[in-house]
Amino acid sequence: MLAAAAVIGIFGLAVGSFLNVCIARLPEGKSLWWPGSACPLCGAAIGWRDNVPVLSYFALRGRCRACGGPIAWRYPLVEVVTAGLFVLTFLRLGWTPDLPIGLALVAALIAITGIDLLHQIIPDVITVPGILLGFLANSLAGRVSWLDSVLGILAGGGIFFVIIFVSKGGMGGGDMKLGAMLGAFLGWKVALISLLIAVLSGGGVAAVLLLTRARGRKDPVPFGPFLALGGLAGLLWGETLLAWYVGSFGR
Ligand SMILES: [Zn+2]
């Protein structure tokens, strides 16, 4: 178990390194595969020795070998977070067909969070294939039935469709597609729990930012990271949360 968790963790570091490339390049429409990694400040190519997840960052003391410019701390952070969440997902799901499906969802949610925080967009190139992948993977091998997945897409996307319609643009189409993607992966019941967690956590953080005047009333607070948080909680503890919610309020 420990050895397996270590293997999953190392796999997570490698995936996290790839997610850093996605976060940096997807919003700009650049290729993920070519050219290889380069310093954004001086353009020097980064060799494999300086591209080892987490370790290289500390070996280089957070500075580019060529120009000495700072390397963003989000690079090791994304790698460590991906490794940690991959291990957590493995501990929750075990060696089941649900594990690769869960890891794919976690990876997508990390990339979406990074991109939304940096660029205030939730890219279709992740969510649209994500909707399809969630539905297909669940239909073939997952614990969520194909019907539950379809209802999840309709419920997760539909709620945002109504919000966008009523508020005339209070939420974006990116949020709607992410809601549909969570539904495809998690099924409609757990997806609704995820949306509830997103609304509660997002509302709480927005209230704190307003009260501490860290943000003004007009400043947008990206909702994607909170949807990602809700989706993660739904993936890892969805059934438990659902049982608790129905037990507390469903009578
Ligand atoms: Zn440089």
Side-chain angles (χ1 to χ4, degrees):
M1 193 69 175
L2 202 63
V7 169
I8 296 279
I10 291 167
F11 177 58
L13 286 175
V15 171
S17 184
F18 174 68
L19 294 179
N20 274 317
V21 178
C22 294
I23 292 167
R25 295 189 184 182
L26 279 183
E28 294 170 4
K30 289 183 188 158
S31 163
L32 297 178
W33 317 110
W34 187 91
S37 300
C39 170
L41 297 171
C42 70
I46 298 171
W48 66 268
R49 257 194 315 150
D50 293 341
N51 215 358
V52 179
V54 183
L55 296 180
S56 289
Y57 180 84
F58 289 102
L60 292 166
R61 295 167 195 268
R63 309 225 152 244
C64 168
R65 185 185 291 279
C67 70
I71 304 169
W73 51 264
R74 78 175 144 86
Y75 286 93
L77 180 69
V78 165
E79 286 155 0
V80 167
V81 166
T82 307
L85 292 181
F86 268 34
V87 170
L88 193 58
T89 304
F90 168 66
L91 294 178
R92 289 294 298 169
L93 300 180
W95 290 117
T96 60
D98 289 310
L99 180 62
I101 302 174
L103 295 181
L105 177 61
V106 168
L109 293 178
I110 291 169
I112 286 168
T113 299
I115 291 170
D116 201 14
L117 286 174
L118 287 174
H119 297 273
Q120 285 76 49
I121 52 160
I122 299 174
D124 288 353
V125 283
I126 297 178
T127 51
V128 173
I131 294 169
L132 202 64
L133 179 72
F135 167 72
L136 288 176
N138 270 323
S139 302
L140 292 172
R143 58 183 166 175
V144 176
S145 75
W146 71 268
L147 180 62
D148 194 3
S149 182
V150 168
L151 292 175
I153 295 169
L154 294 174
I159 285 178
F160 286 101
F161 185 78
V162 171
I163 293 172
I164 291 167
F165 187 74
V166 171
S167 68
K168 297 190 177 73
M171 289 266 173
D175 297 308
M176 179 173 77
K177 281 165 241 172
L178 178 51
M181 186 183 100
L182 292 181
F185 272 95
L186 302 174
W188 73 272
K189 284 186 222 144
V190 174
L192 289 183
I193 292 282
S194 297
L195 295 192
L196 184 66
I197 292 168
V199 168
L200 293 177
S201 58
V205 169
V208 169
L209 289 176
L210 274 177
L211 288 173
T212 58
R213 314 214 169 184
R215 289 286 174 106
R217 197 171 288 274
K218 293 271 166 67
D219 298 327
V221 176
F223 194 49
F226 299 103
L227 278 171
L229 182 71
L232 179 72
L235 173 73
L236 298 178
W237 299 287
E239 304 297 325
T240 313
L241 290 167
L242 201 60
W244 173 80
Y245 185 78
V246 171
S248 303
F249 303 104
R251 275 179 271 213

